[in-house]
Amino acid sequence: MVDRIVRKKRYAVLIVTYGEVEKLTLRNLWPSSRRILKVITSQIVKVPKILVYFIADFRSTKHFINWRLNRYRSGLLSINRAQTGAIAACLRESRDPLFDNVDVDVIDAYYFVPPYLENVLREQQERCDGVVVVPMIPVESAFSCGVACRMIAEQFSENRYSGIRLLNKLWRDPELHTIYLDHLFSALDASMKGSGAGRTGLVLVIHGTLVRDRAGNPPKVFTGLDETRLFFGMMKERIMADPRNLFADVRQGCMNHSAGGEWTSETVQKALAAFREEGIENVVMFPYGFFADNSETEYEARKELTRSGFSRVQYVRCINESEAFACWLASRITGELATLYRIQQLFEEELPAERTINQ
């Protein structure tokens, strides 16, 4: 009988987000905008190929002018790299027995800027026993983790069930809610507190989603609409019940696009207008629907807050490089790694007994 020699498996964990250009040039913006049209916009609007370059280049030029005039530079990639490093550190410090049998590489990847997710998937499939993909958006939809799903299906084909896992449903985890609350309440300015501060409202910012297509019908793609609303309901309930709460009211603030039909109605602008009508003096904004600050949060949403005209305003940054967040996510990743390891063991047990595992 031949002894079975067991080696440690090597897995890759891909920390994935949309990606925005770091160096603001039209040459960098053009390919990014074209990929957005092909990967995201094309799911809800059929864009003729002849118009893809025209529309994408027009958007690139608009972003270039707006960002240059306002001296905005995206920090999304640097934040995602920092998150990648923090998650890797938490995994290295883990005492989970899984890591007696598994080595893990934690790598950043992006949908719209290099290194592109599909390329990283291809590289890691060749060198690793398995891959865990972690889309850095809490609510899943065809426009967020759905992008990764399509790339996984194309790259892994029939082997995707034994070779890859996709982390999802993060928005439902009570541990994330607790981390969010601690982050929010610890960040509040002293000026927002106290009996003389006045009434304060909170806007929870999230990416909006499509409600009806141009014909008035439900979208044919999975939009995450119900999940978005449930997530807000959970967070509002937790915030209002917290003994640290100082907010008179909490409202959803969606960041919408204009293409494809009717988008979520609970916009940032409507939330701010409702607070004015209610006599709210101060407003705090927290982008809970994003794990990292980007052009939609710290540029577009924050700009709405700055010019809103309330007595006091405060923008609380995304969870970003929070150590508590990184270690929570590392624990969720460990669970997916363990599941992948068990699945592969089951596949290997079906091999003929005389076959040895590769050394």
Side-chain angles (χ1 to χ4, degrees):
M1 181 176 179
V2 179
D3 290 334
R4 290 163 59 90
I5 302 174
V6 179
R7 67 173 176 87
K8 293 183 77 171
K9 288 185 177 294
R10 177 166 293 280
Y11 292 143
V13 173
L14 309 186
I15 309 301
V16 183
T17 192
Y18 292 116
E20 294 177 341
V21 299
E22 289 186 288
K23 186 177 181 181
L24 185 61
T25 67
L26 284 172
R27 186 179 294 274
N28 288 340
L29 283 166
W30 284 333
S32 175
S33 293
R34 291 165 188 168
R35 284 178 67 90
I36 291 170
L37 270 173
K38 293 176 181 178
V39 175
I40 299 291
T41 310
S42 63
Q43 295 188 62
I44 55 177
V45 178
K46 299 302 179 184
V47 182
K49 290 183 179 180
I50 196 171
L51 292 180
V52 168
Y53 285 88
F54 174 79
I55 296 172
D57 293 356
F58 173 78
R59 287 182 179 178
S60 297
T61 304
K62 184 178 177 181
H63 283 315
F64 177 79
I65 294 171
N66 286 339
W67 292 359
R68 177 62 63 86
L69 287 175
N70 289 278
R71 298 182 178 180
Y72 173 74
R73 294 292 185 273
S74 174
L76 178 58
L77 266 65
S78 63
I79 294 170
N80 195 59
R81 286 193 291 264
Q83 290 174 325
T84 301
I87 292 166
C90 291
L91 289 173
R92 283 195 301 269
E93 295 169 5
S94 173
R95 296 182 178 180
D96 193 292
L98 171 72
F99 297 106
D100 294 336
N101 303 308
V102 168
D103 285 324
V104 177
D105 296 321
V106 187
I107 304 163
D108 62 312
Y110 306 90
Y111 295 152
F112 304 135
V113 297
Y116 295 123
L117 174 58
E118 65 269 31
N119 294 339
V120 178
L121 276 171
R122 190 177 305 112
E123 293 167 2
Q124 298 308 314
Q125 184 187 24
E126 293 175 356
R127 65 178 292 272
C128 291
D129 298 293
V131 177
V132 172
V133 177
V134 186
M136 296 294 276
I137 298 286
V139 178
E140 59 273 8
S141 73
F143 315 123
S144 56
C145 68
V147 180
C149 287
R150 293 198 306 278
M151 292 181 181
I152 288 168
E154 292 170 0
Q155 184 62 37
F156 280 79
S157 186
E158 70 277 0
N159 296 323
R160 63 184 182 272
Y161 300 110
S162 62
I164 194 160
R165 299 287 297 177
L166 179 74
L167 202 61
N168 59 17
K169 295 182 172 61
L170 299 177
W171 63 274
R172 296 173 56 179
D173 195 322
E175 289 187 42
L176 175 63
H177 304 165
T178 299
I179 292 169
Y180 266 178
L181 263 64
D182 290 342
H183 174 76
L184 170 63
F185 287 121
S186 65
L188 292 179
D189 290 340
S191 63
M192 294 290 180
K193 306 172 185 178
S195 57
R199 298 170 68 223
T200 302
L202 172 65
V203 181
L204 292 176
V205 178
I206 196 167
H207 201 295
T209 192
L210 199 63
V211 177
R212 292 182 179 84
D213 63 21
R214 288 177 170 178
N217 300 316
K220 295 180 180 179
V221 297
F222 171 60
T223 64
L225 177 61
D226 291 340
E227 289 75 9
T228 297
R229 289 173 174 167
L230 285 169
F231 187 27
F232 171 70
M234 290 176 177
M235 286 300 302
K236 179 174 181 178
E237 182 178 359
R238 289 285 304 269
I239 290 168
M240 296 300 285
D242 194 286
R244 297 167 290 181
N245 179 52
L246 55 82
F247 302 112
D249 194 10
V250 181
R251 289 186 173 273
Q252 179 101 291
C254 293
M255 300 296 296
N256 290 336
H257 295 298
S258 57
E262 177 189 346
W263 285 68
T264 36
S265 60
E266 303 91 352
T267 63
V268 168
Q269 295 85 351
K270 286 185 178 181
L272 294 171
F275 281 152
R276 276 191 291 269
E277 292 174 4
E278 295 170 9
I280 295 291
E281 290 99 336
N282 316 309
V283 172
V284 174
M285 175 178 284
F286 173 48
Y288 80 124
F290 304 82
F291 286 154
D293 276 300
N294 57 81
S295 62
E296 288 186 299
T297 63
E298 63 180 353
Y299 178 65
E300 295 177 17
R302 192 173 192 171
K303 185 166 60 177
E304 294 289 342
L305 179 66
T306 301
R307 64 189 183 191
S308 62
F310 290 92
S311 297
R312 297 181 183 88
V313 296
Q314 182 184 356
Y315 176 83
V316 176
R317 299 193 75 207
C318 292
I319 203 72
N320 291 340
E321 300 97 331
S322 159
E323 183 179 355
F325 170 70
C327 287
W328 164 76
L329 200 51
S331 70
R332 290 291 304 261
I333 291 168
T334 300
E336 293 299 325
L337 289 168
T339 299
L340 184 57
Y341 183 74
R342 288 194 298 270
I343 289 171
Q344 292 183 346
Q345 281 187 312
L346 290 173
F347 272 88
E348 290 164 2
E349 286 173 2
E350 295 180 358
L351 296 174
E354 68 274 8
R355 182 174 176 179
T356 59
I357 300 177
N358 292 333
Q359 298 186 32

Short mmCIF file of all heavy atoms in Angstrom, two decimals, residues 2-28:
data_model
loop_
_atom_site.label_atom_id
_atom_site.label_comp_id
_atom_site.label_asym_id
_atom_site.label_seq_id
_atom_site.Cartn_x
_atom_site.Cartn_y
_atom_site.Cartn_z
N VAL A 2 0.56 2.21 -0.85
CA VAL A 2 1.36 3.42 -0.98
C VAL A 2 0.88 4.45 0.03
O VAL A 2 -0.30 4.72 0.15
CB VAL A 2 1.22 4.00 -2.41
CG1 VAL A 2 2.03 5.29 -2.52
CG2 VAL A 2 1.66 2.99 -3.44
N ASP A 3 1.83 5.00 0.81
CA ASP A 3 1.47 6.04 1.77
C ASP A 3 1.07 7.31 1.02
O ASP A 3 1.69 7.69 0.02
CB ASP A 3 2.66 6.36 2.68
CG ASP A 3 2.95 5.21 3.63
OD1 ASP A 3 2.01 4.47 3.93
OD2 ASP A 3 4.13 5.08 4.05
N ARG A 4 0.05 7.95 1.57
CA ARG A 4 -0.41 9.22 0.99
C ARG A 4 0.38 10.37 1.64
O ARG A 4 0.39 10.52 2.85
CB ARG A 4 -1.91 9.42 1.24
CG ARG A 4 -2.78 8.46 0.42
CD ARG A 4 -4.19 8.41 1.00
NE ARG A 4 -4.84 9.71 1.01
CZ ARG A 4 -5.59 10.19 0.00
NH1 ARG A 4 -5.73 9.46 -1.09
NH2 ARG A 4 -6.17 11.36 0.09
N ILE A 5 1.08 11.12 0.82
CA ILE A 5 1.85 12.25 1.32
C ILE A 5 1.00 13.51 1.16
O ILE A 5 0.63 13.88 0.05
CB ILE A 5 3.17 12.39 0.54
CG1 ILE A 5 3.99 11.10 0.68
CG2 ILE A 5 3.96 13.60 1.05
CD1 ILE A 5 5.24 11.09 -0.15
N VAL A 6 0.70 14.13 2.27
CA VAL A 6 -0.18 15.30 2.25
C VAL A 6 0.65 16.57 2.24
O VAL A 6 1.56 16.73 3.05
CB VAL A 6 -1.11 15.30 3.48
CG1 VAL A 6 -2.01 16.51 3.47
CG2 VAL A 6 -1.93 14.01 3.51
N ARG A 7 0.38 17.43 1.33
CA ARG A 7 1.04 18.74 1.29
C ARG A 7 0.03 19.82 1.64
O ARG A 7 -1.17 19.62 1.53
CB ARG A 7 1.60 19.02 -0.11
CG ARG A 7 0.53 19.20 -1.17
CD ARG A 7 1.13 19.66 -2.48
NE ARG A 7 0.13 19.75 -3.53
CZ ARG A 7 -0.62 20.82 -3.76
NH1 ARG A 7 -0.51 21.89 -3.00
NH2 ARG A 7 -1.50 20.83 -4.75
N LYS A 8 0.54 20.96 2.06
CA LYS A 8 -0.34 22.09 2.34
C LYS A 8 -0.89 22.63 1.03
O LYS A 8 -0.16 22.77 0.04
CB LYS A 8 0.41 23.18 3.09
CG LYS A 8 0.85 22.79 4.49
CD LYS A 8 1.54 23.95 5.20
CE LYS A 8 0.52 24.96 5.71
NZ LYS A 8 1.16 25.99 6.59
N LYS A 9 -2.15 22.91 1.03
CA LYS A 9 -2.76 23.52 -0.15
C LYS A 9 -2.44 25.01 -0.16
O LYS A 9 -2.21 25.62 0.88
CB LYS A 9 -4.27 23.32 -0.14
CG LYS A 9 -4.70 21.87 -0.43
CD LYS A 9 -6.20 21.78 -0.53
CE LYS A 9 -6.63 20.36 -0.90
NZ LYS A 9 -6.21 19.99 -2.26
N ARG A 10 -2.43 25.58 -1.35
CA ARG A 10 -2.22 27.02 -1.50
C ARG A 10 -3.46 27.64 -2.11
O ARG A 10 -3.91 27.23 -3.19
CB ARG A 10 -1.00 27.32 -2.37
CG ARG A 10 -0.78 28.82 -2.61
CD ARG A 10 0.59 29.10 -3.16
NE ARG A 10 1.64 28.81 -2.21
CZ ARG A 10 2.00 29.61 -1.21
NH1 ARG A 10 1.39 30.77 -1.02
NH2 ARG A 10 2.98 29.26 -0.39
N TYR A 11 -4.00 28.60 -1.40
CA TYR A 11 -5.19 29.31 -1.87
C TYR A 11 -4.87 30.79 -2.07
O TYR A 11 -3.99 31.35 -1.40
CB TYR A 11 -6.33 29.19 -0.86
CG TYR A 11 -6.90 27.80 -0.72
CD1 TYR A 11 -7.30 27.33 0.52
CD2 TYR A 11 -7.06 26.96 -1.82
CE1 TYR A 11 -7.84 26.06 0.67
CE2 TYR A 11 -7.59 25.70 -1.69
CZ TYR A 11 -7.98 25.24 -0.44
OH TYR A 11 -8.51 23.98 -0.31
N ALA A 12 -5.61 31.43 -2.96
CA ALA A 12 -5.53 32.88 -3.18
C ALA A 12 -6.83 33.52 -2.74
O ALA A 12 -7.92 32.99 -3.01
CB ALA A 12 -5.26 33.19 -4.65
N VAL A 13 -6.73 34.62 -2.03
CA VAL A 13 -7.89 35.42 -1.64
C VAL A 13 -7.79 36.74 -2.40
O VAL A 13 -6.82 37.48 -2.25
CB VAL A 13 -7.92 35.68 -0.12
CG1 VAL A 13 -9.04 36.65 0.24
CG2 VAL A 13 -8.08 34.37 0.63
N LEU A 14 -8.80 37.03 -3.22
CA LEU A 14 -8.78 38.23 -4.05
C LEU A 14 -9.71 39.28 -3.46
O LEU A 14 -10.92 39.07 -3.35
CB LEU A 14 -9.21 37.89 -5.49
CG LEU A 14 -8.48 36.72 -6.16
CD1 LEU A 14 -8.90 36.61 -7.61
CD2 LEU A 14 -6.97 36.87 -6.04
N ILE A 15 -9.16 40.41 -3.05
CA ILE A 15 -9.92 41.52 -2.50
C ILE A 15 -10.26 42.45 -3.66
O ILE A 15 -9.39 43.16 -4.19
CB ILE A 15 -9.12 42.27 -1.41
CG1 ILE A 15 -8.57 41.27 -0.38
CG2 ILE A 15 -9.98 43.32 -0.74
CD1 ILE A 15 -9.64 40.44 0.34
N VAL A 16 -11.53 42.46 -4.06
CA VAL A 16 -11.93 43.03 -5.35
C VAL A 16 -12.86 44.23 -5.16
O VAL A 16 -13.82 44.16 -4.39
CB VAL A 16 -12.65 41.98 -6.21
CG1 VAL A 16 -13.00 42.55 -7.57
CG2 VAL A 16 -11.80 40.73 -6.35
N THR A 17 -12.57 45.30 -5.88
CA THR A 17 -13.50 46.42 -5.94
C THR A 17 -13.50 46.98 -7.36
O THR A 17 -12.78 46.50 -8.23
CB THR A 17 -13.14 47.50 -4.90
OG1 THR A 17 -14.20 48.43 -4.79
CG2 THR A 17 -11.86 48.22 -5.27
N TYR A 18 -14.34 48.01 -7.58
CA TYR A 18 -14.47 48.55 -8.93
C TYR A 18 -13.14 49.09 -9.45
O TYR A 18 -12.72 48.75 -10.53
CB TYR A 18 -15.51 49.68 -8.94
CG TYR A 18 -16.92 49.23 -8.70
CD1 TYR A 18 -17.62 49.63 -7.56
CD2 TYR A 18 -17.56 48.40 -9.61
CE1 TYR A 18 -18.92 49.21 -7.34
CE2 TYR A 18 -18.86 47.96 -9.40
CZ TYR A 18 -19.54 48.38 -8.25
OH TYR A 18 -20.82 47.95 -8.04
N GLY A 19 -12.55 49.96 -8.68
CA GLY A 19 -11.29 50.57 -9.10
C GLY A 19 -11.52 51.91 -9.79
O GLY A 19 -12.43 52.06 -10.61
N GLU A 20 -10.73 52.90 -9.41
CA GLU A 20 -10.73 54.22 -10.04
C GLU A 20 -9.29 54.62 -10.30
O GLU A 20 -8.38 54.19 -9.58
CB GLU A 20 -11.40 55.26 -9.12
CG GLU A 20 -12.88 55.00 -8.90
CD GLU A 20 -13.52 55.98 -7.93
OE1 GLU A 20 -12.80 56.63 -7.15
OE2 GLU A 20 -14.76 56.07 -7.95
N VAL A 21 -9.08 55.43 -11.32
CA VAL A 21 -7.71 55.78 -11.70
C VAL A 21 -7.05 56.58 -10.59
O VAL A 21 -7.68 57.43 -9.95
CB VAL A 21 -7.68 56.57 -13.02
CG1 VAL A 21 -8.26 55.73 -14.15
CG2 VAL A 21 -8.41 57.90 -12.91
N GLU A 22 -5.78 56.30 -10.34
CA GLU A 22 -5.02 57.04 -9.33
C GLU A 22 -4.40 58.30 -9.92
O GLU A 22 -4.44 59.37 -9.30
CB GLU A 22 -3.93 56.15 -8.73
CG GLU A 22 -4.48 55.07 -7.82
CD GLU A 22 -3.37 54.31 -7.13
OE1 GLU A 22 -2.68 53.52 -7.80
OE2 GLU A 22 -3.22 54.48 -5.91
N LYS A 23 -3.82 58.16 -11.09
CA LYS A 23 -3.24 59.32 -11.77
C LYS A 23 -4.26 59.85 -12.74
O LYS A 23 -4.65 59.17 -13.69
CB LYS A 23 -1.95 58.93 -12.50
CG LYS A 23 -1.23 60.11 -13.12
CD LYS A 23 0.08 59.68 -13.77
CE LYS A 23 0.80 60.89 -14.36
NZ LYS A 23 2.08 60.50 -15.02
N LEU A 24 -4.73 61.08 -12.50
CA LEU A 24 -5.83 61.64 -13.27
C LEU A 24 -5.35 62.15 -14.62
O LEU A 24 -4.85 63.27 -14.75
CB LEU A 24 -6.49 62.77 -12.48
CG LEU A 24 -7.75 63.40 -13.10
CD1 LEU A 24 -8.83 62.35 -13.26
CD2 LEU A 24 -8.24 64.57 -12.25
N THR A 25 -5.50 61.30 -15.64
CA THR A 25 -5.24 61.70 -17.02
C THR A 25 -6.33 61.11 -17.89
O THR A 25 -6.95 60.10 -17.54
CB THR A 25 -3.88 61.17 -17.51
OG1 THR A 25 -3.93 59.73 -17.59
CG2 THR A 25 -2.74 61.59 -16.59
N LEU A 26 -6.57 61.74 -19.02
CA LEU A 26 -7.56 61.21 -19.95
C LEU A 26 -7.14 59.83 -20.47
O LEU A 26 -7.98 58.95 -20.67
CB LEU A 26 -7.75 62.18 -21.12
CG LEU A 26 -8.58 63.43 -20.81
CD1 LEU A 26 -8.53 64.40 -22.00
CD2 LEU A 26 -10.03 63.07 -20.49
N ARG A 27 -5.85 59.64 -20.66
CA ARG A 27 -5.35 58.36 -21.15
C ARG A 27 -5.69 57.23 -20.16
O ARG A 27 -5.96 56.10 -20.58
CB ARG A 27 -3.83 58.43 -21.38
CG ARG A 27 -3.25 57.17 -22.02
CD ARG A 27 -1.76 57.35 -22.23
NE ARG A 27 -1.49 58.39 -23.19
CZ ARG A 27 -1.45 58.18 -24.52
NH1 ARG A 27 -1.69 56.97 -25.01
NH2 ARG A 27 -1.18 59.17 -25.34
N ASN A 28 -5.69 57.53 -18.86
CA ASN A 28 -6.06 56.53 -17.86
C ASN A 28 -7.57 56.37 -17.74
O ASN A 28 -8.06 55.27 -17.47
CB ASN A 28 -5.47 56.91 -16.50
CG ASN A 28 -3.98 56.73 -16.43
OD1 ASN A 28 -3.38 55.99 -17.22
ND2 ASN A 28 -3.34 57.42 -15.50
#
